[in-house]
């Protein structure tokens, strides 16, 4: 399997529009990830942020990075060692579907993680 196959989307990790601030609805999903990481102490992950193609590419890249960093900060704040975590923003470079519809744009705005070491 390639790393591409191992991406896990974090459903219901939501942010304020145009910001990297996590909404409270995100906590249940993130707490599940905390539990998973605590139960598997050797696992290391990379958190990735993705945006749709609305607006400037450079701003989207920064926003996606800031959002991935917000998830990283949440995990570190819940006693997950920083050395087990990496984060990266991909902006709109890894769209899953077309950005031509609101549904497509919503689908492309996402946070994922990939296991980099077991």
């Amino acid at each position: 399997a390639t790393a591409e196959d191992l991406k896990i989307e974090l459903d219901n990790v939501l942010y304020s529009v145009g910001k990297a601030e996590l909404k409270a609805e995100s906590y249940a999903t993130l707490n599940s990830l905390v539990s998973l990481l605590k139960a598997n102490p050797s696992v290391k992950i990379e958190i990735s942020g993705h945006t749709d193609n609305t607006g400037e590419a450079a701003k989207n890249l920064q926003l996606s990075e800031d959002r991935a960093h917000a998830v990283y900060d949440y995990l570190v704040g819940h006693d997950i060692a920083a050395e087990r975590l990496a984060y990266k923003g991909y902006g709109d470079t890894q769209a899953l579907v077309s950005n031509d519809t609101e549904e497509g744009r919503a689908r492309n705005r996402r946070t994922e993680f990939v296991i980099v070491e077991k």
Side-chain angles (χ1 to χ4, degrees):
T2 65
E4 201 68 24
D5 300 331
L6 303 175
K7 284 183 183 165
I8 299 160
E9 191 167 338
L10 291 166
D11 290 329
N12 299 317
V13 172
L14 306 169
Y15 309 88
S16 302
V17 174
K19 298 189 177 142
E21 189 182 310
L22 286 162
K23 288 188 171 183
E25 304 94 288
S26 306
Y27 301 158
T29 296
L30 294 175
N31 291 339
S32 295
L33 181 55
V34 167
S35 297
L36 175 80
L37 290 168
K38 285 184 176 177
N40 299 279
S42 62
V43 167
K44 294 182 180 179
I45 66 169
E46 180 191 273
I47 303 148
S48 61
H50 303 271
T51 64
D52 60 30
N53 68 347
T54 305
E56 285 177 47
K59 284 186 179 168
N60 284 337
L61 192 61
Q62 187 61 57
L63 180 61
S64 65
E65 179 101 359
D66 292 346
R67 287 177 168 180
H69 194 182
V71 172
Y72 167 93
D73 285 344
Y74 186 93
L75 297 176
V76 170
H78 286 78
D79 303 320
I80 302 300
E83 2 355 305
R84 296 177 60 196
L85 306 171
Y87 64 90
K88 185 169 168 76
Y90 291 92
D92 63 7
T93 64
Q94 295 186 0
L96 296 175
V97 296
S98 165
N99 281 297
D100 292 342
T101 64
E102 180 47 46
E103 293 76 21
R105 288 188 293 275
R107 182 83 185 87
N108 288 328
R109 293 189 299 266
R110 67 199 188 281
T111 303
E112 297 173 334
F113 74 93
V114 62
I115 295 171
V116 291
E117 194 175 307
K118 287 184 183 174

